[in-house]
């Protein structure tokens, strides 16, 4: 498989994860309190994972397949020299860490959520652990976006390439800084970290594909 073909696979898989995350937030969104005044209770969490688990599992399993493709495609593109080898290594690591994160969700979220109110603390402990890997993966996506942007800037002098490379580097830097902060701050930064990581993912995909195509031309 050529570096460009591997980059195409990674690009499709990266965009697929962005789409599934948007769909998840729009249609599933996570447990919600039945009584907003009382806040989120164990009963709310248990009800969510009982009533919506089949839909959640479909989305997360789809993401797991996409993350596996990202990890494998990133490794192939790195070996084949599709632009920045360091950036492709970062993409491969992002795919691997996201597989850990999604694996924790698929295997542990529901059983811990249904374990009873006395184990609610354990549910949040598991969720926090999963999101630590989520933030770590976004750090590597940000590094990949920076690497692809630099590679594209050096090899392609077209105005469109300069615009993409500039946005990719800025988005990647924002994703790295916010998600490194989230590694320590935890769930309090989940929305800005996720948003920055999503933007970096889109432009890492575009810049990576352009850089790989340029390397073979």
């Amino acid at each position: 498989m050529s570096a460009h073909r591997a980059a195409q696979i990674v690009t499709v898989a990266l965009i697929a994860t962005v789409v599934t995350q948007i769909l998840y937030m729009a249609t599933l969104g996570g447990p919600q309190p039945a009584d907003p005044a009382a806040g989120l209770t164990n009963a709310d969490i248990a009800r969510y994972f009982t009533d919506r688990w089949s839909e959640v599992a479909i989305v997360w399993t789809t993401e797991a397949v996409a993350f596996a493709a990202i990890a494998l495609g990133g490794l192939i593109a790195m070996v084949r020299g599709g632009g920045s080898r360091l950036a492709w290594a970062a993409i491969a690591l992002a795919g691997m860490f996201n597989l850990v994160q999604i694996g924790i969700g698929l295997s542990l979220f529901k059983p811990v959520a249904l374990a009873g109110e006395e184990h609610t603390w354990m549910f949040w402990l598991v969720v926090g652990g999963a999101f630590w890997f989520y933030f770590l993966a976004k750090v590597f996506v940000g590094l990949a976006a920076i690497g692809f942007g630099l590679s594209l800037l050096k090899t392609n002098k077209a105005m469109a390439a300069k615009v993409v490379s500039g946005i990719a580097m800025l988005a990647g830097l924002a994703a790295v800084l916010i998600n490194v902060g989230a590694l320590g701050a935890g769930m309090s930064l989940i929305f800005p970290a996720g948003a920055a990581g999503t933007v970096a993912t889109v432009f890492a995909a575009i810049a990576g594909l352009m850089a790989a195509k340029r390397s073979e031309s």
Side-chain angles (χ1 to χ4, degrees):
M1 182 181 293
S2 68
H4 186 229
R5 179 58 60 84
Q8 289 177 322
I9 293 172
V10 171
T11 298
V12 171
L14 285 170
I15 299 300
T17 64
V18 171
V19 172
T20 55
Q21 286 183 35
I22 292 172
L23 287 175
Y24 180 86
M25 294 304 298
T27 61
L28 296 170
Q32 300 297 322
D35 180 4
L40 190 65
T41 66
N42 179 261
D44 297 323
I45 297 170
R47 182 174 60 255
Y48 175 82
F49 283 102
T50 299
D51 296 344
R52 309 300 299 273
W53 179 247
S54 59
E55 301 158 79
V56 171
I58 289 171
V59 173
W60 288 355
T61 302
T62 302
E63 288 185 333
V65 173
F67 291 138
I70 290 167
L72 184 58
L75 288 173
I76 293 172
M78 180 186 68
V79 172
R80 296 293 187 184
S84 171
R85 293 180 186 271
L86 185 60
W88 286 116
I91 280 289
L93 285 171
M96 293 174 191
F97 287 128
N98 268 315
L99 279 173
V100 174
Q101 169 246 327
I102 212 75
I104 293 173
L106 282 169
S107 62
L108 294 178
F109 276 19
K110 184 179 180 180
V112 178
L114 301 181
E117 187 172 356
E118 66 274 17
H119 298 296
T120 302
W121 66 271
M122 188 179 296
F123 172 78
W124 290 116
L125 183 68
V126 171
V127 169
F131 272 97
W132 195 88
F133 285 102
Y134 173 86
F135 299 138
L136 184 61
K138 290 292 186 282
V139 170
F140 281 102
V141 167
L143 290 173
I146 295 170
F148 289 139
L150 287 171
S151 177
L152 191 60
L153 190 63
K154 292 176 181 178
T155 59
N156 194 326
K157 302 304 180 183
M159 181 57 66
K162 291 181 179 179
V163 171
V164 170
S165 63
I167 297 174
M169 287 187 285
L170 289 174
L173 180 61
V176 170
L177 293 176
I178 297 173
N179 280 276
V180 166
L183 289 174
M187 303 290 285
S188 62
L189 289 178
I190 183 172
F191 289 111
T198 298
V199 175
T201 298
V202 172
F203 283 95
I206 297 170
L209 183 61
M210 293 174 70
K213 184 177 182 180
R214 187 71 179 178
S215 70
E216 293 190 347
S217 61

